[in-house]
């Protein structure tokens, strides 16, 4: 690479902006998957949830790879500038020219926005998943109480469902 003094070359700034844009693109893809996950959980669409999880497993390594490429580039540039203590992309902003600096600032702002939205959506999905699990536990408890603990049972000796009591509730819940 080039010997650097007090400023990055414009081409390095443009490359950094490009790396940030690729990273943002990959995390936006994950954000779309997180939105879909939320929708599929609400609809209890197990097949689509499974396909979405498979897509997530495919795209997450790409996002991590894009982040790693940017981090390696920043580390190399920081070393060239002699900023041993610095590891953040933002620390390079003072060393960029006007045009590449603007490109990097915009790309950083986009990535920050995407990452914040992704974190928020993942948190919402976590809460929804907890709710769904609690609902499933409650339904299982009701079935257990009604089917196992009901001495009269849900069916009469003629194999016809009983019409009163807890057996009717299980039929409606199921």
């Amino acid at each position: 690479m080039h010997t650097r003094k007090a400023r990055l070359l414009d081409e390095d700034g443009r490359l950094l902006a490009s790396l940030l844009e690729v990273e943002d693109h990959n995390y936006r893809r994950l954000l779309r998957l997180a939105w879909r996950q939320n929708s599929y959980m609400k609809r209890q669409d197990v097949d689509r949830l499974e396909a979405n999880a498979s897509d997530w497993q495919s795209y997450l390594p790409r996002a991590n790879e894009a982040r790693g490429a940017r981090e390696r580039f920043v580390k190399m540039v920081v070393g060239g500038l002699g900023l041993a203590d610095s590891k953040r992309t933002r620390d390079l902003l003072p060393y960029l020219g006007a045009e590449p600096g603007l490109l990097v600032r915009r790309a950083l702002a986009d990535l920050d926005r995407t990452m914040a939205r992704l974190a928020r959506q993942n948190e919402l999905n976590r809460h929804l998943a907890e709710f769904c699990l609690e609902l499933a536990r409650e339904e299982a408890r009701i079935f257990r109480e009604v089917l196992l603990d009901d001495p009269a049972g849900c069916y009469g000796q003629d194999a016809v469902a009983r019409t009163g009591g807890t057996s009717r509730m299980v039929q409606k819940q199921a």
Side-chain angles (χ1 to χ4, degrees), residues 7 12-13 16 22 35 74 78 137 139 146 158:
R7 211 175 116 162
D12 289 336
L16 179 56
V22 169
W35 287 333
V74 167
V78 161
R137 280 192 285 271
E139 287 176 348
V146 172
D158 56 358

Side-chain angles (χ1 to χ4, degrees), residues 16-29:
L16 179 56
S18 176
L19 289 169
L20 287 163
E21 289 166 1
V22 169
E23 186 177 356
D24 181 58
H25 171 78
N26 281 284
Y27 281 108
R28 276 188 283 126
R29 186 179 291 153

Side-chain angles (χ1 to χ4, degrees), residues 2 9 16 27 32 54-56 59 62 64 72 76 79 83-84 102 110 130 133 138 140 148 157 162:
H2 313 316
L9 296 175
L16 179 56
Y27 281 108
R32 284 190 296 276
S54 177
D55 288 344
W56 190 275
Y59 292 125
R62 295 176 193 181
N64 289 336
R72 284 188 300 277
M76 181 186 68
L83 305 172
L102 181 62
D110 289 345
E130 285 176 355
L133 288 172
E138 183 62 20
L148 298 178
Q157 292 210 327
R162 296 182 189 261

Side-chain angles (χ1 to χ4, degrees), residues 4-168:
R4 291 180 178 80
K5 299 282 185 201
R7 211 175 116 162
L8 285 173
L9 296 175
D10 286 352
E11 66 188 52
D12 289 336
R14 286 187 199 91
L15 179 56
L16 179 56
S18 176
L19 289 169
L20 287 163
E21 289 166 1
V22 169
E23 186 177 356
D24 181 58
H25 171 78
N26 281 284
Y27 281 108
R28 276 188 283 126
R29 186 179 291 153
L30 292 176
L31 177 60
R32 284 190 296 276
L33 290 174
W35 287 333
R36 289 180 189 155
Q37 179 185 25
N38 185 277
S39 173
Y40 300 153
M41 280 193 291
K42 287 177 182 175
R43 292 184 296 180
Q44 298 178 2
D45 190 335
V46 177
D47 292 334
R48 285 197 172 134
L49 272 171
E50 188 175 312
N52 197 66
S54 177
D55 288 344
W56 190 275
Q57 289 175 342
S58 170
Y59 292 125
L60 181 60
R62 295 176 193 181
N64 289 336
E65 184 179 308
R67 186 188 72 237
R70 184 214 5 120
E71 289 172 347
R72 284 188 300 277
F73 181 76
V74 167
K75 183 178 178 181
M76 181 186 68
V77 170
V78 161
L81 289 171
L83 305 172
D85 296 338
S86 177
K87 291 183 175 95
R88 296 176 359 150
T89 302
R90 280 177 173 61
D91 295 339
L92 296 177
L93 290 173
Y95 299 93
L96 293 169
E99 187 258 337
L102 181 62
L103 293 174
V104 169
R105 281 183 185 82
R106 284 182 183 160
L108 272 171
D110 289 345
L111 181 59
D112 287 345
R113 228 179 347 267
T114 299
M115 295 301 286
R117 292 168 71 193
L118 179 58
R120 176 165 165 62
Q121 189 61 51
N122 281 337
E123 185 64 16
L124 291 171
N125 288 355
R126 186 184 68 75
H127 285 294
L128 181 58
E130 285 176 355
F131 172 77
C132 290
L133 288 172
E134 183 57 34
L135 184 61
R137 280 192 285 271
E138 183 62 20
E139 287 176 348
R141 184 192 62 76
I142 290 169
F143 284 131
R144 190 172 40 256
E145 283 180 11
V146 172
L147 296 176
L148 298 178
D149 297 341
D150 185 2
C154 295
Y155 297 94
Q157 292 210 327
D158 56 358
V160 174
R162 296 182 189 261
T163 57
T166 56
S167 64
R168 188 70 181 147

